[in-house]
Amino acid sequence: MAKIIPFKAVRPTRDKVSLVAARSYQSYTKDQLEARLRDNPFSFLHIVNPGYRFDKEISGIERYSLVKNRYLEFKEDIIFVQDEKPSYYVYRIVDRENQEFNGIVAAVSAVDYENNVIRKHEDTIENREVLFKDYLKTVGFNAEPVLLTYPDNSVIKGIISKKQKERAEYEFTTTYRDTHYLWKVEKPELLEAIEAEFKNMPHIYIADGHHRSSSSYLLYKDLKAANPEHQGHEAYCYFMSYLIPESDLRIHEFNRLIKDLNGLTKEAFLIELDTMYRIENRGTIPYKPSKKHHFSMYLDGEFYSLYLRKTAYNTETSLDGLDAQILFKTILEPILGIKDLRNDNRIMYINGKKDIVNIKSNVDSGNFAVGFGMVPVTIEEMKQIADDGLKMPPKSTFIEPKLRSGVTIYEF
């Protein structure tokens, strides 16, 4: 049973939300970041980059404390205001390609994370978990929801659809040409209906935000241990999430670029590949695979298709059948010598939303020797791996929607 509850969000005023909302800090180039900090005093980037005011790079606990100060200033200046009643927030995104994402922003249970009601499909890195946990403990808020997905539900869909016929609290379009809408749900009967539907779900799944989820769980454990009067309903027992139905989730692949052939010549590399793959030279015409266990490869000015020889590869678990795992176990590790997919600087990942020609341009530049493309993971594969308690290789999925920071904020 998934426990999903409403909360009193801290939100930008209607007139400033489009100015406040920001992409993930890491997604901006240095020039983009400088321009937004210089030209937009209301951007949430001023909160997460407090050193801009002092023209200084600031890190660690000093930065965390200044982040909290900037956040409190935004509240003092009535840029942020907290809702008076606990609410769910219906959130809709329509992107530049006219894809729609419709879901609910809510608080989800850290205990559900602990008990595997909230299921994971990716490994996390411990030092990143601890760093973000310490950040959350200092600043006292979370401004970017974890993306969760749940099986399509007609009752929740009906509530969302009916709510979306009303005037939205927010409607704004970003410079990326994504349009965002938000509606407050605060009627008791609707709150109860939404909570009851989620209670009937045995599992929900993390789509994007494994480190944020894990950090929030670590924060819960720390604050619970430090509170002798802990009762289980404190704000730190929950973390903010955006829950969307599985049919709205968009999963793209991550393609791989490798800097060298591990000392092999082109010819020797192709011979090594032949053991596990049927290889076809596609020439200079870009080739993108269309089936599972088929890969594209760009090497020395030419595209190749690689078809896995099924008799040469054993599939014993759901993870074994994942294309990212197959590529790792048959090529990256045994032939190219890449054993640590997270930390080896010989590998780079590019999301599959970018054209397959992007692989070609990176290899042609001389920065990489070979590139591999694959088909996206399906929601069924992702769920099965999570259900089996297994973990995908890093960068197996590029998942949409990508959320904005600072639109709804959860305090604890």
Side-chain angles (χ1 to χ4, degrees):
M1 294 182 2
K3 188 171 185 182
I4 308 297
I5 66 168
F7 68 102
K8 297 178 184 178
V10 176
R11 301 186 289 115
T13 55
R14 187 199 297 266
D15 62 319
K16 293 186 177 65
V17 62
S18 63
L19 298 170
V20 171
R23 302 197 314 271
S24 170
Y25 182 81
Q26 292 81 8
S27 70
Y28 292 93
T29 67
K30 184 176 180 180
D31 288 344
Q32 289 173 335
L33 189 62
E34 172 64 30
R36 281 158 177 77
L37 290 168
R38 182 186 65 238
D39 300 333
N40 179 5
F42 302 109
S43 174
F44 191 77
L45 294 170
H46 281 284
I47 293 177
V48 294
N49 187 30
Y52 180 77
R53 174 180 295 185
F54 307 106
D55 193 24
K56 178 183 176 184
E57 288 288 334
I58 301 173
S59 61
I61 295 298
E62 183 183 19
R63 173 177 169 263
Y64 303 165
S65 297
L66 289 175
V67 166
K68 184 174 183 177
N69 292 345
R70 295 293 87 74
Y71 173 67
L72 293 174
E73 288 171 8
F74 269 51
K75 292 181 73 175
E76 290 163 3
D77 293 340
I78 321 298
I79 299 167
F80 285 142
V81 178
Q82 186 165 30
D83 287 328
E84 295 182 358
K85 297 179 181 179
S87 303
Y88 292 120
Y89 301 88
V90 168
Y91 202 104
R92 182 186 187 205
I93 303 171
V94 182
D95 71 12
R96 66 169 72 191
E97 297 165 0
N98 216 32
Q99 294 183 119
E100 293 187 14
F101 308 95
N102 298 280
I104 294 173
V105 178
V108 304
S109 170
V111 174
D112 282 353
Y113 181 91
E114 181 177 56
N115 293 336
N116 207 32
V117 173
I118 298 173
R119 297 207 156 174
K120 313 94 179 163
H121 65 266
E122 279 188 8
D123 272 328
T124 50
I125 301 171
E126 184 177 1
N127 70 319
R128 285 182 60 190
E129 296 172 343
V130 173
L131 279 172
F132 192 60
K133 181 260 293 183
D134 292 342
Y135 168 85
L136 293 174
K137 187 182 288 188
T138 302
V139 302
F141 67 86
N142 196 346
E144 184 179 345
V146 172
L147 181 63
L148 300 178
T149 189
Y150 60 89
D152 286 41
N153 180 287
S154 59
V155 174
I156 296 174
K157 182 177 180 181
I159 293 172
I160 289 174
S161 297
K162 187 175 181 179
K163 195 68 187 177
Q164 288 177 339
K165 292 177 182 177
E166 302 174 7
R167 180 177 184 243
E169 284 277 315
Y170 295 153
E171 179 179 352
F172 65 95
T173 299
T174 71
T175 53
Y176 262 36
R177 301 182 183 177
D178 299 334
T179 302
H180 297 244
Y181 306 82
L182 179 141
W183 296 261
K184 269 203 311 184
V185 181
E186 53 187 359
K187 289 183 179 178
E189 63 270 25
L190 294 180
L191 299 181
E192 291 171 8
I194 292 170
E195 187 171 356
E197 288 303 312
F198 279 107
K199 276 186 179 177
N200 289 328
M201 297 178 190
H203 306 292
I204 53 180
Y205 296 82
I206 299 174
D208 193 19
H210 283 77
H211 281 92
R212 278 172 283 138
S213 302
S214 180
S215 298
S216 295
Y217 170 63
L218 293 177
L219 178 71
Y220 154 75
K221 290 206 301 181
D222 274 11
L223 297 183
K224 176 185 175 182
N227 182 5
E229 299 181 3
H230 172 83
Q231 296 183 15
H233 52 68
E234 292 84 356
Y236 60 72
C237 297
Y238 299 88
F239 57 94
M240 185 171 63
S241 296
Y242 179 42
L243 300 109
I244 67 171
E246 291 172 5
S247 59
D248 274 19
L249 201 66
R250 300 290 180 269
I251 305 178
H252 304 277
E253 71 277 17
F254 261 107
N255 297 320
R256 275 72 168 134
L257 289 163
I258 314 299
K259 289 189 176 180
D260 59 67
L261 298 182
N262 199 28
L264 297 171
T265 64
K266 171 187 171 180
E267 292 73 20
F269 177 58
L270 290 171
I271 290 171
E272 291 278 354
L273 286 180
D274 192 70
T275 303
M276 298 295 294
Y277 291 91
R278 183 159 52 88
I279 306 168
E280 292 185 16
N281 188 320
R282 301 278 180 161
T284 58
I285 299 173
Y287 169 75
K288 185 176 176 68
S290 58
K291 295 180 181 179
K292 278 178 60 64
H293 307 341
H294 292 184
F295 302 91
S296 64
M297 180 176 73
Y298 185 71
L299 173 69
D300 193 27
E302 295 179 307
F303 286 91
Y304 295 81
S305 57
L306 307 180
Y307 300 94
L308 181 68
R309 299 186 190 275
K310 295 179 182 178
T311 56
Y313 183 82
N314 294 323
T315 302
E316 297 179 357
T317 69
S318 53
L319 180 60
D320 293 334
L322 191 73
D323 281 349
Q325 181 74 355
I326 291 171
L327 189 69
F328 173 59
K329 286 297 184 182
T330 62
I331 300 177
L332 301 185
E333 184 180 41
I335 300 176
L336 295 177
I338 294 175
K339 303 183 186 302
D340 184 347
L341 292 172
R342 291 189 182 278
N343 300 307
D344 195 317
N345 61 14
R346 296 171 56 224
I347 186 169
M348 187 179 88
Y349 304 91
I350 52 174
N351 74 70
K353 282 204 77 177
K354 296 181 178 179
D355 194 278
I356 197 73
V357 174
N358 194 257
I359 292 178
K360 177 182 186 300
S361 60
N362 273 281
V363 174
D364 287 347
S365 72
N367 294 324
F368 298 91
V370 62
F372 299 95
M374 64 189 83
V375 298
V377 172
T378 65
I379 183 66
E380 291 77 19
E381 286 179 298
M382 188 182 83
K383 288 174 62 178
Q384 189 62 60
I385 286 170
D387 289 345
D388 293 343
L390 301 170
K391 300 294 186 290
M392 294 182 181
K395 301 294 185 182
S396 291
T397 56
F398 178 81
I399 293 180
E400 294 181 305
K402 295 297 182 188
L403 306 176
R404 296 268 162 164
S405 297
V407 179
T408 56
I409 296 172
Y410 182 77
E411 292 187 343
F412 36 81

